[in-house]
Amino acid sequence: MLLIPCPWCGERDEVEFSYGGQAGVAYPLDPEALSDEEWAEWLFVRDNPKGRFVERWVHTQGCRRWFDLVRDTVTHEIAR
Amino acid sequence: MTGEHPDFLWRSPEPKSSYEVVIVGGGGHGLATAYYLAREHGITDVAVLERGWLAGGNITRNTTVIRSNYLWDESAGIYEHSLKLWEGLEEELGYDLLFSQRGVLNLAHSLQDVRESARRVNANRLNGIDAEWLEPDAVAEICPILNVSPDIRYPVLGATLQPRGGIARHENVAWGYARAADALGVDLIQGCEVAGIELQGGRAVAVDTSRGRIAAGRIALVAAGHSSVLAGLAGLRLPVQSHPLQALVSELYEQVLDTVVMSNAVHVYVSQAHKGELVMGAGIDSYNSYAQRGSFHVIEHQLAAALELFPLFAHARVLRTWAGIVDVCPDASPIVGLTPVEGLLVNCGWGTGGFKATPGSGSTFAWTIAHGEPHPLNVPFSLDRFTTGALIDEHGAAAVAH
């Protein structure tokens, strides 16, 4: 069970949150300029590191705001 | 199988400096791939490299459910191919797998479930797969301890049944394939971690391992949850995310459940092993992880579902919980085939459904390695489907969430 620090509400149980995957994946500035390969890369491919991961969470059952979290995918330790 | 169990089922050779085919990953799919390469294609200059010990990963961490009642034709093709291989596998390997075709029930709890079930039964039959729709009283006849009363929160409105579905003892599957592959000349090398993939002119030619450099005509990655890490060594990004998938067993009980019961809506699947444990699982933990453990609320939810469906289980005690690392694709279907890196092949993305596919995955992937082009059943599962858009979306279609 993760104890997740919401930047606005403080530490809360994991069940209050929903997961959003890799952080910092911006929508393409000019989608129509992308090739099919580039579009597939943006749409379907995400980093999947073993170790430090910057990821998105949303406090679904709290303030409902999104935030970034740095978590280790091996130890589950959350950087504070 | 009769007589005493041998002390050793396979040799533990020193790795050679070069092989025709190097398979990275000594789990079920890797061992099956090696076996079929040797058996079906006469390619015996093969090494299976395993970072830890054989069958230490998902092959011995799953809930052993075997079925082929998938909605989409592409999935039906590969999973039914696999089920047919299961049906002759004990004889073929000469090894007892405790393969038991006790039937798989997929419960429906809402009108939408009922309609989806009917559609899936019809799709299965069109693909030559055994499937039936059962009303609640017929479900109760097959599984008397299941609570089919109308006054629970999500009453059982019926179920699909695949009579040929069932379970097998998973470690025996790995050992059976390992023993047979070894006997055909395949080198099974444990404690051999791949730390690098050597490219020459864009072609993968060797792996750098904790036991030295090993050259290879072809390198096949069959590493489930670690597929992204390995593919990354060759500069390849896969549309795969690694998650924990938890399972649990109870203490040993007398036999009370002689079929497999799965519910997507309340989300639990349960069978009873030959030894007597109730074996249960549900969905993945939401977050990415390589930890082989998950969060307790996932266990809590699946047990709540199990208790509502099987009031008798209130007396049962959990013995162990654990997790495997499953590699999930955006469409919950696997990737089997060639990659943009010449000489490098990949078999991954089986997500939460890989155990049942072990024979089919191994046999078709071996064909793909031997021929240098996708086996007809692998064609839809090529990596380029994410570019063409021809996804095989089994998330909601596969009878349980994948």
Side-chain angles (χ1 to χ4, degrees):
Chain A
M1 189 76 80
L2 304 180
L3 190 59
I4 297 177
C6 170
W8 293 280
C9 308
E11 289 191 332
R12 298 293 179 89
D13 190 296
E14 175 197 331
V15 296
E16 293 185 15
F17 298 84
S18 303
Y19 190 57
Q22 182 185 351
V25 183
Y27 191 80
L29 287 174
D30 187 6
E32 292 184 18
L34 298 188
S35 66
D36 286 353
E37 288 76 17
E38 289 166 332
W39 179 252
E41 179 88 4
W42 175 78
L43 190 60
F44 294 123
V45 182
R46 295 291 179 270
D47 291 344
N48 187 25
K50 184 177 184 179
R52 184 180 180 276
F53 194 34
V54 186
E55 59 192 13
R56 299 288 280 164
W57 288 83
V58 58
H59 196 180
T60 318
Q61 294 175 39
C63 62
R64 301 177 63 188
R65 285 201 267 190
W66 284 91
F67 58 94
D68 287 359
L69 196 71
V70 180
R71 189 179 56 90
D72 189 295
T73 61
V74 179
T75 63
H76 293 176
E77 187 180 356
I78 295 168
R80 309 276 165 167
Chain B
M1 194 176 159
T2 56
E4 279 186 34
H5 200 276
D7 290 338
F8 296 96
L9 290 173
W10 52 80
R11 301 164 292 130
S12 281
E14 285 299 310
K16 296 192 290 182
S17 61
S18 166
Y19 290 92
E20 190 174 344
V21 177
V22 163
I23 295 168
V24 184
H29 289 224
L31 293 168
T33 302
Y35 166 74
Y36 291 109
L37 268 177
R39 171 72 192 263
E40 302 292 328
H41 306 285
I43 300 175
T44 57
D45 187 24
V46 176
V48 177
L49 310 184
E50 168 55 47
R51 184 174 65 113
W53 59 91
L54 289 189
N58 295 347
I59 184 65
T60 49
R61 292 168 182 269
N62 59 75
T63 51
T64 82
V65 177
I66 296 165
R67 60 190 178 88
S68 65
N69 58 343
Y70 281 65
L71 177 68
W72 301 117
D73 293 347
E74 298 87 347
S75 308
I78 189 138
Y79 288 107
E80 177 62 14
H81 170 63
S82 195
L83 181 49
K84 289 201 171 100
L85 290 174
W86 277 112
E87 288 173 326
L89 200 57
E90 288 178 313
E91 291 79 2
E92 182 175 346
L93 297 178
Y95 201 71
D96 191 357
L97 309 176
L98 296 182
F99 176 57
S100 164
Q101 290 180 291
R102 53 183 56 195
V104 172
L105 288 168
N106 289 99
L107 305 181
H109 298 273
S110 65
L111 185 57
Q112 172 60 27
D113 275 358
V114 172
R115 288 169 173 161
E116 182 274 330
S117 299
R119 180 188 178 198
R120 183 163 42 77
V121 164
N122 290 331
N124 290 162
R125 287 181 172 179
L126 287 170
N127 279 317
I129 294 168
D130 57 322
E132 301 168 27
W133 168 254
L134 303 178
E135 296 293 332
D137 54 343
V139 177
E141 265 179 45
I142 290 178
C143 187
I145 63 168
L146 182 68
N147 182 7
V148 296
S149 75
D151 54 2
I152 62 174
R153 177 64 184 85
Y154 297 103
V156 175
L157 301 182
T160 66
L161 171 68
Q162 183 175 24
R164 288 163 59 242
I167 56 174
R169 190 175 165 102
H170 46 200
E171 65 268 37
N172 286 30
V173 176
W175 297 339
Y177 273 123
R179 188 182 74 143
D182 175 85
L184 291 167
V186 172
D187 282 359
L188 308 178
I189 298 161
Q190 305 179 71
C192 184
E193 180 167 9
V194 170
I197 296 175
E198 194 178 314
L199 302 177
Q200 277 179 15
R203 181 182 173 87
V205 295
V207 287
D208 296 315
T209 80
S210 54
R211 297 177 68 172
R213 178 183 185 274
I214 302 174
R218 277 148 290 174
I219 300 166
L221 306 180
V222 197
H226 278 78
S227 295
S228 297
V229 176
L230 282 170
L233 299 176
L236 186 65
R237 290 179 90 214
L238 296 173
V240 160
Q241 298 281 288
S242 298
H243 292 267
L245 176 63
Q246 300 190 63
L248 65 91
V249 290
S250 72
E251 293 178 341
L252 309 186
Y253 297 106
E254 286 180 32
Q255 294 293 329
V256 292
L257 182 62
D258 63 358
T259 188
V260 182
V261 179
M262 314 183 77
S263 168
N264 191 24
V266 300
H267 214 173
V268 69
Y269 36 90
V270 56
S271 67
Q272 189 169 18
H274 294 79
K275 211 163 54 171
E277 311 104 310
L278 298 166
V279 185
M280 291 184 215
I284 57 171
D285 281 65
S286 67
Y287 48 78
N288 287 29
S289 173
Y290 288 79
Q292 291 185 322
R293 59 190 164 82
S295 295
F296 185 70
H297 67 91
V298 175
I299 297 290
E300 194 176 10
H301 284 154
Q302 75 190 54
L303 281 176
L307 286 186
E308 175 145 289
L309 293 173
F310 299 96
L312 183 68
F313 291 179
H315 302 286
R317 291 168 188 268
V318 171
L319 180 66
R320 282 185 296 127
T321 76
W322 66 91
I325 312 167
V326 297
D327 41 332
V328 182
C329 283
D331 60 353
S333 287
I335 299 166
V336 188
L338 313 178
T339 73
V341 180
E342 204 187 332
L344 185 71
L345 298 96
V346 69
N347 183 354
C348 69
W350 290 94
T352 63
F355 175 68
K356 69 176 83 64
T358 304
S361 161
S363 74
T364 58
F365 190 47
W367 194 100
T368 295
I369 294 168
H371 289 79
E373 60 178 287
H375 183 282
L377 291 173
N378 292 162
V379 170
F381 297 102
S382 300
L383 194 50
D384 67 2
R385 74 176 184 272
F386 297 98
T387 304
T388 64
L391 303 187
I392 305 155
D393 187 4
E394 288 289 358
H395 271 294
V400 293
H402 258 227

